Amino acid sequence: MTATTLVNAVRAGNMGDVVTLADGMTDAERRACMPELKELRKKLRSEPWGSPLQRAYPALHAAGAACQTGAAAVADWIAGSDMRWRQAPAPVLIDVLGDREPRWLDDLVHRLAERPLTAQVPYELMSGLVRLAGCAVPTSETYVRGWMEHIGRARWKAGTVIGNLRKDPHLTELVTALFDIAEIGARSDWRYGEGLNNWTYALTQLADEGLLDRKILIDGCVSRLLRGGGSTADNKVFLGLLTSLDLTRDERCERIADWMSLCADAPSSVAGHAQSVLADFALDGALGSRRLIEMSGAVLFRPERKLVRSQLILLGKVLRQDPSTAGALLPVVAQAFGHEDTEVQERALKLVERHIGDVPDKEEAAREEIAGAAADLSPGLRTRAQDVLGVSPAEESPEAYEELLPPVPEPTRLVPAPETVAELAEEVNALLASDGDISAFERTLDGLVRHAHRDREALVEALGPVVAGRWWAEMEPTYVDRHFRDSPRDLEIVLASLFERVRLSVLHDARTNAPTSGGCVHSGLAGVRDARLREVAHRVRTEPLPFLLATPSWSTGSLEPGELVARLDTYRRLGARPGRSDFAQALLRVRRADTAASESAAVAARELGTPEGDRLAEWLATDVPSRPVRSSRTEGPRFLVEFGELPELQSESFPPEVRRLGRPLAEYQGRWYCSHWDESEWRQWLAVVPGRPELVAARVLRDLSQGVVEDTGTGFSFLPTLAEAEGEAGEAVRLCVVYGLGAKRPEDRLAAVDALLVLAARGKLDIEQAGADLGQLAVTSYLKPLRIAEAIRTAASTGAYGTAWALLRAALPHLLAELSDGQGEGGGKGRAKAATPVRGLGELLAVAAECVERSGARGELPHLDLAADRRGSSRLVTEARRLRAALAV
């Protein structure tokens, strides 16, 4: 057989002939075929997806596997990324590899099993090779996940998960390996199977039948939970499996040390289970005082209120059973005096009050330890503890409260573009792998322009390894054109243009035929940035620019006027034609706040004698505009902001996309759907109009409000960057932060807290109005008071108790007023009928009370008496009374 015969069969896509020709080949014959097969593979890589030659891929995949002689080479060929979607069927590959030695097959299957999941090596191929080789089954992530998927396919066939597991010859080895695979519990086939197709049920049942070692499952679950770091879904699965195994007392008892560790460090759901196990031992005396003290110290240190409350309840039960343990346990109870939640503090204090009499007089050290811990209580509870313990308050001169706010962020100078193409390639690679900030993006973009002007061929050569595998490098040209016609995708459009993967006509049409009206609320800002990127992509191919005029001077996106004049002068000397969109962006970025610098730069610009110099001089002489005329409006539960026209952007000297930015914001309100959902893109918009964050905030306000009202959770990581942006922060910025404080996800609320504190530190936040906005939105229940309370507590805990109180002082009256049916004004007994409070109001009052106690604020709070004078001892009433007392001290 000649190599040409095999290659012709491959070209024709004739799989049967390939299998026949490969059968019984010698190693020499295999090696002789490989050069032509590799050449054909290289040719197919450049063929578009719809090419008729693509039909050769499966046959090529099989032929290459048959003709490679080394196991490593075969593994590389089978897992090649270019053939990932057009592989030969697994039975065919097993057939052509079946004549190899068992040791060789063992080596091959383990190499394939070590490939990453993205290689998509078929499980059927690997399991078939295991059968042929008679070797130990691999337990890598690729193999185990493939096995689990294979078992789970029972739902589409006549079998079941438990039935397939019973028949598996490698059941023990593979089930044991499950506990070592990251996030295996989060797989949908584990989480959503039902009945006989439920993995938890199946493993439990097989353990009951003796097909699986019960100890392996228990130890695997416990060790997996001890390891930590898993997602909530993953932990839920292994905790559920552990629970379903219904451990005996002996099985639970021999793992007491593990339960102790889980109580201290595991996620709250797992720690709660461990806590309940240990609680049983504590109540029947099997745990012992030493271990109970150790367990309690770990749990009471945790922030989760539910866990801490449960531990205090357990300690209370133990103290009732055996009062003689009070001397040992009450100092541990006192550790909860420092908890951030005052309800927890009060619960701990009640335990001390109830059992302090059980502490023998001779155990003076225990009493002193409790008295020392009382200093961590809130002021009202501290006084109560001192009375109970018979301790006189320390005579200390009160320290003046000092508000702690984060340092005000300072802008930094932009680093020049990389000098060499090698350095630039590294910068491009880093930027493609992450969102990057405005500084990294602009200096990298400027570097691409500069090096394309100097030596485009050298630039393309240096960037080759960086762009290998990018979606536009492999996709059919028609699809690439369509994608870039719709969106530049940051640097991608420039890189694709450099490598001639997007047609010039597409770049030209996108620039000249961009819409000038309509679109979504973001179109004005996105249009300016997109037009500049398309212009750069077009010019690097047709008329390379020496550098970009609009590259910022500062990390904020602003550009010094003197630097822009110098750049225009260089363009004049080089005879270079400025890009219209790039120059327009430069004008939007140029700083005009410094009158002296603007006047000096205007004089120098006129002396250039160029149209751009004259336009810059005119722009610098124009008064810096105030914020546009605006109006607030509501749309359902949302507070939105609309802007009027920006006259300074309506000049005919500006390109259409800039004039579009200057049109009234309300013009775009009608269209909800758009593609501008990525907050990394929003950060770039701040550099489109540096010094004017309101123009950006008003355009993303609708997204953020929708994210809270509909719990979609989007864009909130943008808030700290918005707060740090230079320029005046007004109503739109404030409302963005207010909505963020009520976001669903904790990380989103934390981003809003960061933004709140930065704005407060910069003196850019109308705190009274922000509080009023919070209160009005909370009354509607579209902002949940519990979420607001958590966010403000976080802000206060950084040392900003004064800021947090100012926010709550303005927000709480709106919520407290709802406790009346409107028959009375203000507070006071009997002046209004009690009404059902908004859920979470007690939490807000608790945070407010702590802020007042720590900051020393005094005064009155409207409508507070409506809560404080209610009957009962609910959290709402308790915290209202505490707040009233603190304000009156």
Side-chain angles (χ1 to χ4, degrees), residues 244-258:
S244 71
L245 289 168
D246 192 19
L247 275 62
T248 65
R249 178 179 172 79
D250 289 343
E251 288 172 333
R252 287 182 280 124
C253 189
E254 67 186 26
R255 294 172 175 81
I256 283 181
D258 294 331

Side-chain angles (χ1 to χ4, degrees), residues 125-210:
L125 170 62
M126 294 185 289
S127 62
L129 293 175
V130 167
R131 287 194 299 272
L132 283 176
C135 61
V137 65
T139 55
S140 66
E141 180 176 13
T142 293
Y143 194 93
V144 174
R145 283 184 179 267
W147 168 73
M148 189 175 186
E149 183 178 344
H150 170 74
I151 293 293
R153 290 191 191 127
R155 69 184 64 183
W156 310 117
K157 299 179 181 179
T160 61
V161 165
I162 191 170
N164 283 0
L165 287 172
R166 280 197 185 100
K167 294 182 291 185
D168 197 290
H170 305 289
L171 176 65
T172 298
E173 298 96 314
L174 291 172
V175 168
T176 302
L178 282 173
F179 299 103
D180 296 322
I181 306 301
E183 291 299 309
I184 195 75
R187 287 183 61 93
S188 60
D189 27 3
W190 194 319
R191 296 169 61 197
Y192 302 124
E194 297 179 356
L196 298 178
N197 288 321
N198 180 276
W199 275 77
T200 297
Y201 168 79
L203 295 180
T204 305
Q205 185 66 26
L206 293 175
D208 291 343
E209 295 172 8

Side-chain angles (χ1 to χ4, degrees), residues 581-601:
S581 295
D582 184 42
F583 179 59
Q585 176 64 91
L587 292 180
L588 292 177
R589 285 178 172 170
V590 73
R591 291 181 69 244
R592 293 182 288 169
D594 187 335
T595 304
S598 294
E599 290 176 352
S600 175

Side-chain angles (χ1 to χ4, degrees), residues 850-865:
E850 183 177 3
C851 291
V852 169
E853 290 167 350
R854 290 183 179 269
S855 66
R858 299 295 179 265
E860 296 183 356
L861 184 68
H863 309 298
L864 179 59
D865 289 342

Side-chain angles (χ1 to χ4, degrees), residues 190-249:
W190 194 319
R191 296 169 61 197
Y192 302 124
E194 297 179 356
L196 298 178
N197 288 321
N198 180 276
W199 275 77
T200 297
Y201 168 79
L203 295 180
T204 305
Q205 185 66 26
L206 293 175
D208 291 343
E209 295 172 8
L211 293 177
L212 283 174
D213 188 333
R214 179 179 172 85
K215 189 175 186 302
I216 288 177
L217 295 181
I218 296 173
D219 288 345
C221 289
V222 173
S223 62
R224 179 61 174 257
L225 296 173
L226 281 169
R227 192 182 312 153
S231 65
T232 301
D234 192 69
N235 288 329
K236 183 178 180 180
V237 161
F238 286 102
L239 180 59
L241 176 57
L242 184 63
T243 304
S244 71
L245 289 168
D246 192 19
L247 275 62
T248 65
R249 178 179 172 79

Side-chain angles (χ1 to χ4, degrees), residues 664-833:
L665 181 59
E667 189 172 313
Y668 304 111
Q669 292 285 6
R671 179 174 168 185
W672 272 86
Y673 175 76
C674 74
S675 60
H676 306 109
W677 48 266
D678 187 353
E679 54 261 36
S680 63
E681 185 177 7
W682 299 359
R683 296 187 186 98
Q684 300 284 345
W685 292 344
L686 287 168
V688 172
V689 282
R692 309 192 73 178
E694 283 286 285
L695 296 183
V696 180
R699 285 168 166 82
V700 302
L701 177 58
R702 194 167 191 174
D703 301 83
L704 296 177
S705 64
Q706 183 182 9
V708 174
V709 173
E710 300 181 9
D711 275 346
T712 57
T714 181
F716 295 100
S717 64
F718 167 69
L719 291 177
T721 309
L722 177 65
E724 293 174 4
E726 62 180 348
E728 183 181 1
E731 186 175 10
V733 172
R734 184 187 72 242
L735 283 171
C736 285
V737 175
V738 165
Y739 276 111
L741 294 173
K744 180 179 182 180
R745 298 187 303 175
E747 58 268 31
D748 292 336
R749 294 195 295 271
L750 184 59
V753 167
D754 289 343
L756 173 77
L757 296 177
V758 167
L759 288 172
R762 297 178 64 201
K764 300 283 188 179
L765 181 65
D766 184 342
I767 196 76
E768 296 293 327
Q769 188 56 53
D773 294 335
L774 268 177
Q776 291 170 26
L777 287 166
V779 166
T780 66
S781 296
Y782 287 107
L783 286 190
K784 310 295 184 186
L786 283 173
R787 297 176 186 172
I788 298 172
E790 183 178 334
I792 298 180
R793 178 182 279 117
T794 301
S797 66
T798 66
Y801 291 99
T803 300
W805 166 239
L807 202 61
L808 289 170
R809 184 179 58 205
L812 283 170
H814 295 276
L815 292 159
L816 292 169
E818 295 294 306
L819 298 178
S820 168
D821 65 354
Q823 296 176 0
E825 297 292 334
K829 293 182 179 179
R831 300 178 67 181
K833 181 181 177 181

